[in-house]
């Protein structure tokens, strides 16, 4: 690599952000909750095999610490993507009691970390033999109720991903179900395919949850159900009070006064509502063309949290902490009576869908262009917000971080396309004035999801070396209302591909990017977009394709239950799927792919199994297309282990260096085979 100096070609710049550093800071805090006056959450540990640690921050302000040592891994596999994996409360005798799901065996455990003698976690649910490829019992989204844990239960009844039933269940805290499945009480039937865990009213007399069924996804249509809790601890017949096939209710919560709250998109935007449980309808508490919710990929996500106290001393509750915005979100406090909404001050530009409340303090997970995701505390009495957890000192000088530019680009047919542009940036190096930089178009996963403008060391890994990145929230993305995400209906492989290409062409036309050095990159659904782009256009010089969907028809048959009908909305009903698959699938259009690519795949991926990647390689056999295929034992859908992330990042950089003609000797050379 060329020696550091004031002028160096794009892509050849030295950088202190290496792959090891980026891997060590991968992931973010999730699943906030409070136990008494303490705030707890789960946190990634890439260097500890990719486990998620359960972390607590003491009420006295001492530093947060892990509750359980390795190899304890607090993560549920409910519907494969997971869900809220823990719940906790203060015991009457003092000290916390927490229940959690351990990833390795998917059993639920109880643990009292402050108990004398520090007893080990004890199992509450049985260890079940697993049918081939799919797990026996999975527990999620729990809440403590008396001597039981109420939660959602997923039970596999056969060897296939669709051989499954889901119910609301009650698990005894005394451990009597640890070896006896019959000791688990089922509180509902399994007539609905999918469900969240129950939310109990403050008086404990009612429970509420969300359900939906194939072929809908939870952002298409869900139902909010409410049931009375009988004196003997069972649930009465549930009644639907909100939602339906064309209304997506993303969250349900109970206010301190016992009123029911929900986040619904019935207006075309996810807004907060107060719901009449007697069937009297729902009142929009803050009618705005903004999103106060998002896609419910995992039960337990939250965009709204009732405050147990008010800003006015001595007054009752009623205020709501909310996440809201367009494209990205901010934390605000909503007065549902007046409609007043006051946002928290601070540098944060992106908030994850997890909120917790303790008194008048609100906790969330937020990031900014200069800070990675961290736990933030808002004191609603003073308006002061600060980072309190998962925040480490900057690993490098922040002057090396890119500054995102949020932009809107014109797309086909005059439609708007939202994107975040991250130009190459280095505090001490510049490129020659007559050179334009290479750019990589990042297509996010989902595809029903979006990316906000926030610090990502994976992006900084490239921009600090002189390679630009643009993240495209193509049509179909969330964050911009229902109409925007409906653009992808039956158009997957068309609208996403066209929008990414339109942004790339616009950057090249305005002189921001080198038109001869454009790449496309994505994981999961973004991997589909990247591969489909290579088959649809010669715009890109290369692609990085990561645990992708590559064959529509096969994906519908072999993926997990949650997404087994996702293609109905993305590509069309089953009777037209074979045709759409031939028209759009990269596997079927492999003869059109000529650009080099890198294919990365976890061998334990139940969502996009290795067979998807292998079909593409088979279709390309005998054709001189330079490519590399790297697989990773023990990795599923989304890489978690530090060593995997390092290998993947360095391989991607080597691909760009070889294709773009960049001189780098600081990463292993990726072997490209034809």
């Amino acid at each position: 690599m060329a020696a550091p100096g004031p002028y160096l070609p794009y892509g050849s710049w030295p950088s202190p952000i290496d792959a090891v550093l980026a891997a060590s800071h991968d992931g973010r805090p999730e699943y906030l909750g409070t136990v008494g006056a303490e705030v707890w959450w789960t946190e990634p540990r890439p260097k500890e095999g990719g486990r998620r640690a359960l972390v607590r921050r003491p009420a006295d302000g001492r530093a947060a610490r892990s509750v359980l040592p390795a190899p304890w891994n607090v993560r549920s596999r409910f519907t494969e993507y997971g869900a809220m994996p823990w719940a906790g409360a203060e015991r009457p005798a003092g000290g916390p009691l927490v229940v959690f799901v351990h990833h390795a065996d998917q059993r639920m455990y109880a643990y009292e970390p402050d108990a004398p003698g520090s007893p080990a976690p004890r199992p509450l649910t049985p260890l079940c033999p697993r049918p081939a490829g799919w797990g026996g019992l999975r527990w999620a989204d729990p809440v403590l109720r008396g001597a039981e844990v109420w939660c959602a239960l997923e039970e596999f009844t056969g060897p296939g991903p669709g051989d499954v039933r889901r119910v609301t269940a009650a698990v005894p805290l005394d451990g009597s179900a640890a070896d006896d499945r019959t000791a688990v009480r089922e509180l509902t039937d399994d007539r609905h395919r999918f469900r969240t865990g129950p939310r109990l009213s403050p008086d404990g007399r009612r429970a509420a949850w969300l359900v939906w069924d194939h072929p809908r996804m939870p952002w298409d249509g869900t139902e909010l159900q409410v049931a009375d809790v009988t004196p003997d601890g069972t649930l009465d017949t549930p009644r639907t009070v909100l939602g339906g096939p064309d209304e997506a209710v993303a969250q349900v919560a109970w206010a301190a006064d016992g009123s029911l709250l929900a986040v619904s998109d019935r207006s075309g935007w996810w807004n907060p509502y107060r719901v009449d449980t007697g069937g009297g309808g729902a009142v929009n508490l803050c009618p705005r063309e903004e999103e106060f919710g998002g896609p419910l990929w995992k039960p337990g996500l939250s965009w709204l949290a009732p405050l147990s106290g008010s800003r006015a001393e001595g007054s009752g509750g009623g205020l709501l902490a909310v996440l809201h915005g367009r494209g990205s979100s901010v934390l605000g406090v909503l007065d549902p009576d007046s409609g007043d909404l006051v946002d928290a001050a601070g540098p944060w530009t992106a908030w994850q869908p997890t909120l917790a409340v303790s008194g008048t303090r609100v906790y969330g997970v937020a990031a900014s262009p200069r800070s990675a995701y961290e736990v933030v505390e808002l004191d609603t009495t003073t308006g002061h917000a600060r980072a309190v957890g998962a925040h480490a000192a900057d690993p490098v000088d922040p002057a090396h971080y890119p500054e995102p530019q949020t932009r809107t680009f014109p797309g086909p047919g005059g439609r708007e396309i939202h994107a975040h542009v991250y130009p190459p940036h280095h505090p001490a190096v510049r490129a020659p004035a007559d050179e334009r930089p290479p750019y990589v178009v990042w297509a996010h996963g989902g595809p029903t999801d979006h990316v906000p403008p926030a610090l990502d060391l994976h992006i900084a890994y490239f921009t600090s070396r002189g390679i630009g990145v643009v993240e495209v929230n193509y049509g179909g993305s969330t964050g911009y209302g229902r109409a925007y995400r409906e653009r992808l209906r039956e158009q997957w492989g068309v609208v996403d591909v066209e929008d990414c290409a339109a942004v790339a062409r616009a950057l090249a036309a305005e002189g921001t990017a080198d038109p001869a050095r454009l790449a496309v990159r994505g994981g999961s659904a973004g991997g589909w977009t990247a591969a489909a782009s290579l088959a649809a256009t010669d715009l890109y010089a290369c692609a990085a394709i990561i645990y992708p969907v590559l064959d529509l028809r096969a994906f519908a048959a072999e993926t997990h239950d949650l997404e087994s009908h996702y293609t109905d909305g993305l590509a069309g009903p089953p009777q037209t799927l074979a045709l759409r698959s031939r028209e759009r699938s990269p596997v079927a259009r492999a003869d059109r792919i000529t650009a080099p690519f890198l294919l990365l795949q976890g061998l334990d991926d139940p969502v996009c199994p290795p067979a998807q990647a292998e079909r593409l390689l088979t279709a390309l056999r005998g054709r001189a297309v330079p490519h590399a295929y790297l697989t990773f034992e023990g990795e599923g859908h989304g890489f978690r282990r530090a060593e995997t992330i390092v290998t993947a990042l360095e391989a991607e950089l080597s691909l760009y260096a070889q294709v773009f003609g960049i001189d780098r000797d600081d990463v292993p050379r990726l072997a490209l085979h034809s």
Side-chain angles (χ1 to χ4, degrees), residues 70-363:
W72 290 105
N73 187 355
V74 181
R75 180 160 69 97
S76 171
R77 284 188 61 188
F78 192 83
T79 68
E80 292 305 336
Y81 285 130
M84 181 70 172
W86 72 275
E90 282 285 336
R91 297 180 303 136
L97 166 66
V98 293
V99 296
F100 66 92
V101 177
H102 178 45
H103 182 259
D105 57 19
Q106 288 299 292
R107 299 177 86 179
M108 185 182 292
Y109 290 79
Y111 183 48
E112 299 176 48
D114 297 347
S118 300
R122 51 187 177 84
L124 300 180
T125 57
L127 182 64
C128 294
R130 297 187 176 191
W134 304 96
L137 298 173
R138 299 174 184 180
W139 316 85
D141 211 9
V143 60
L144 292 166
R145 182 186 182 273
E148 294 179 317
V149 184
W150 285 20
C151 61
L153 164 61
E154 177 177 77
E155 182 172 25
F156 283 83
T157 57
D163 300 325
V164 63
R165 59 191 294 270
R166 298 177 183 89
V167 298
T168 301
V171 178
L173 276 169
D174 63 7
S176 57
D179 298 305
D180 183 6
R181 166 66 177 85
T182 64
V184 175
R185 295 192 302 127
E186 295 191 5
L187 301 172
T188 65
D189 57 33
D190 60 0
R191 71 179 65 184
H192 291 290
R193 191 68 170 193
F194 302 99
R195 66 180 55 243
T196 65
R199 297 292 178 267
L200 296 173
S201 61
D203 61 8
R205 297 171 61 183
R206 291 173 295 172
W209 59 87
L210 302 177
V211 295
W212 67 97
D213 294 284
H214 287 316
R216 299 192 304 273
M217 296 299 286
W219 42 85
D220 296 325
T222 60
E223 297 175 25
L224 194 171
Q225 295 194 325
V226 177
D228 295 327
V229 181
T230 63
D232 63 354
T234 59
L235 289 176
D236 211 340
T237 303
R239 55 194 183 276
T240 297
V241 298
L242 193 68
D246 301 310
E247 178 183 356
V249 183
Q251 185 193 347
V252 59
W254 295 94
D257 63 0
S259 60
L260 186 63
L261 305 170
V263 177
S264 167
D265 74 344
R266 56 170 43 192
S267 70
W269 298 82
W270 273 303
N271 281 184
Y273 288 81
R274 182 181 287 116
V275 183
D276 184 343
T277 58
V283 177
N284 193 333
L285 301 178
C286 193
R288 293 190 181 194
E289 290 190 347
E290 293 185 12
E291 301 284 42
F292 288 73
L296 186 63
W297 280 104
K298 308 174 188 179
L301 301 183
S302 59
W303 297 264
L304 174 152
L307 285 158
S308 55
S310 169
R311 289 170 298 177
E313 185 175 352
S315 66
L319 298 181
L320 307 176
V322 294
L323 300 176
H324 71 102
R326 297 182 67 156
S328 59
S329 56
V330 296
L331 173 63
V333 176
L334 172 66
D335 184 334
D337 296 323
S338 67
D340 292 340
L341 179 57
V342 179
D343 293 336
W348 303 284
T349 55
W351 293 77
Q352 287 299 301
T354 180
L355 290 174
V357 169
S358 178
T360 58
R361 297 179 185 271
V362 180
Y363 297 91

Side-chain angles (χ1 to χ4, degrees), residues 332-429:
V333 176
L334 172 66
D335 184 334
D337 296 323
S338 67
D340 292 340
L341 179 57
V342 179
D343 293 336
W348 303 284
T349 55
W351 293 77
Q352 287 299 301
T354 180
L355 290 174
V357 169
S358 178
T360 58
R361 297 179 185 271
V362 180
Y363 297 91
V365 174
S368 77
R370 294 294 184 188
S371 59
Y373 282 101
E374 56 196 355
V375 178
V376 176
E377 176 192 77
L378 170 65
D379 184 340
T380 60
T381 61
T382 64
H384 178 65
R386 59 176 181 148
V388 296
H391 176 77
D394 289 304
V396 297
D397 184 349
H400 290 87
Y401 298 160
E403 191 66 40
Q405 303 168 0
T406 297
R407 297 181 56 183
T408 301
F409 293 87
R415 63 178 183 249
E416 289 187 339
I417 307 167
H418 302 284
H420 307 297
V421 181
Y422 294 81
H425 175 74
H426 194 289
V429 178

